[in-house]
Amino acid sequence: MKTPYKNIYNVLKLNRFIVLAVVVCALLSSTFSVWMVFNTNQKALNSAFAINTDGSIIPLKLVTQKENFRVEALAHLDLFHNYFYNIDASNYERNLEKALWLGNSSVDNLYRQKKADGVYNRLLQYSLVQKVLSIDSRISENNGSYGFTTTTIFEINRGTIIDTYELVSTGNLIMVDRNFPNNPHGLLITNYFENTLKKLNDES
């Protein structure tokens, strides 16, 4: 007696079902593996561990990105205001060139305006020394954009007379590629503006 052959269509359907089941299981397994790797990586980025003296593991929280940005921003503003305002006849060209790397066209326009007004010519003519005494910057965030207000106290030494000034300036900060040593913090000052300049005192 001959063995009856199975219906070829039923065999193909069964094979197709098996293949689809294997593919679905593989996709689910791959997706779960990717999710586990991503989740583990995120936890690793947000945490670090140290070994205590008794051998126990102590979890340490890393500083957040915003805290890192704040430190970089304050250092960037401190560097810029020192370069731009801490000048004398011997260093003003070098310092201003460094300052221009830290800001965009708004800084360059202010520099050109000061140059046209004869600020740097007077620096040379009268051997003035402009020295920064303090820099106080405050960072604010609004919908992902960062602004700052900086109060710079500096003095101008005219030989027999020393005048002290308070300058309040504002602007924004954007992130750019780091360019060491020209722009070590990877930030750029935009919309820079000198709001107020006030003489604090005269000393003879």
Side-chain angles (χ1 to χ4, degrees), residues 29-168:
S29 177
S30 299
T31 302
F32 180 74
S33 299
V34 170
W35 179 80
M36 285 293 294
V37 169
F38 177 79
N39 191 42
T40 303
N41 184 59
Q42 288 297 109
K43 289 180 179 179
L45 288 175
N46 291 327
S47 302
F49 299 92
I51 305 300
N52 200 357
T53 53
D54 60 0
S56 61
I57 297 176
I58 306 172
L60 301 174
K61 281 290 183 182
L62 298 179
V63 293
T64 63
Q65 185 178 2
K66 286 186 178 181
E67 289 173 335
N68 283 335
F69 178 87
R70 179 178 174 79
V71 172
E72 297 270 11
L74 291 175
H76 186 83
L77 292 171
D78 189 78
L79 192 63
F80 168 76
H81 286 84
N82 265 304
Y83 281 148
F84 203 72
Y85 298 104
N86 201 70
I87 54 177
D88 56 41
S90 65
N91 69 10
Y92 84 96
E93 289 183 330
R94 182 174 65 255
N95 279 8
L96 290 173
E97 181 181 356
K98 292 178 179 179
L100 292 176
W101 277 96
L102 307 178
N104 72 346
S105 58
S106 62
V107 174
D108 184 63
N109 291 339
L110 179 61
Y111 160 70
R112 293 178 184 276
Q113 180 184 338
K114 287 177 177 289
K115 188 175 181 180
D117 292 340
V119 172
Y120 305 119
N121 283 338
R122 289 193 293 273
L123 195 75
L124 293 172
Q125 184 178 356
Y126 301 107
S127 297
L128 304 179
V129 176
Q130 185 169 293
K131 181 181 179 182
V132 171
L133 302 178
S134 67
I135 300 170
D136 179 29
S137 297
R138 297 185 180 183
I139 312 296
S140 60
E141 180 187 1
N142 185 18
N143 295 327
S145 63
Y146 294 90
F148 68 86
T149 300
T150 300
T151 302
T152 305
I153 308 295
F154 64 91
E155 64 180 20
I156 298 180
N157 189 328
R158 295 180 169 85
T160 58
I161 299 175
I162 298 178
D163 294 327
T164 306
Y165 296 88
E166 179 188 82
L167 171 70
V168 178

Side-chain angles (χ1 to χ4, degrees), residues 1-21:
M1 184 176 180
K2 294 182 178 181
T3 303
Y5 290 101
K6 293 183 178 179
N7 190 313
I8 191 169
Y9 293 107
N10 292 335
V11 173
L12 290 176
K13 285 181 180 179
L14 179 62
N15 287 344
R16 186 172 61 180
F17 174 78
I18 294 172
V19 170
L20 286 175

